[in-house]
């Protein structure tokens, strides 16, 4: 099992920045990819960005050039640097870890609220 604990959400004005952090524990050796998803009220959960153990990344078109995902392997952490935030970025952000330890599994954090408003 993998446990994920997120931090770093909050309220920020448009154009501002936030950094989300997600620390993994448990069977972390089995993780091959980590990422961030978000869910706004009344909408489906969507991919924001994700990164493999090898450092390959992919991100939603809506955040390209503004958000950066990276890993701190020493701390078993995935971070999401969010710049030039817009009101439409307001959502609950969820950390995700994909693992394979005999079978494929997906783990989720509890979510952290990001609100972009003046």
């Amino acid at each position: 099992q993998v446990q994920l604990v997120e931090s770093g959400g909050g309220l920020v004005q448009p154009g501002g920045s936030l950094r989300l952090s997600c620390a993994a524990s448990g069977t972390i050796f089995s993780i091959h990819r980590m990422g961030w998803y978000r869910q706004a009220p009344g909408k489906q959960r969507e991919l924001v960005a994700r990164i493999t153990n090898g450092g390959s990344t992919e991100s939603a078109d809506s955040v390209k050039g503004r958000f950066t995902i990276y890993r701190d392997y020493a701390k078993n952490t995935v971070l999401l640097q969010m710049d030039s935030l817009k009101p439409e970025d307001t959502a609950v952000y969820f950390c995700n870890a994909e693992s394979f330890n005999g079978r494929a599994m997906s783990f989720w954090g509890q979510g952290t609220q990001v609100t972009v408003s003046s």
Side-chain angles (χ1 to χ4, degrees):
Q1 296 293 315
V2 174
Q3 295 79 43
L4 303 171
V5 178
E6 301 131 333
S7 61
L11 172 65
V12 64
Q13 292 186 340
S17 297
L18 281 175
R19 186 173 66 183
L20 304 183
S21 178
C22 173
S25 61
T27 55
I28 56 175
F29 65 88
S30 65
I31 296 173
H32 60 85
R33 182 165 60 187
M34 296 186 73
W36 290 93
Y37 290 71
R38 66 186 181 187
Q39 188 167 18
K43 294 187 177 182
Q44 289 188 331
R45 191 173 297 189
E46 63 176 2
L47 171 69
V48 177
R50 57 189 180 183
I51 182 169
T52 68
N53 284 356
S56 296
T57 63
E58 60 179 295
S59 59
D61 287 343
S62 60
V63 307
K64 286 180 179 177
R66 301 188 298 122
F67 291 11
T68 303
I69 188 170
Y70 57 103
R71 298 272 296 270
D72 183 338
Y73 294 96
K75 297 181 179 179
N76 300 316
T77 299
V78 62
L79 302 106
L80 184 69
Q81 178 66 40
M82 305 186 293
D83 299 318
S84 302
L85 282 159
K86 303 176 181 180
E88 50 264 44
D89 295 318
T90 295
V92 178
Y93 284 69
F94 296 90
C95 179
N96 172 262
E98 298 173 61
S99 72
F100 187 85
N101 188 19
R103 62 189 178 108
M105 298 186 71
S106 183
F107 299 93
W108 295 92
Q110 79 282 0
T112 185
Q113 177 71 46
V114 171
T115 302
V116 185
S117 175
S118 55

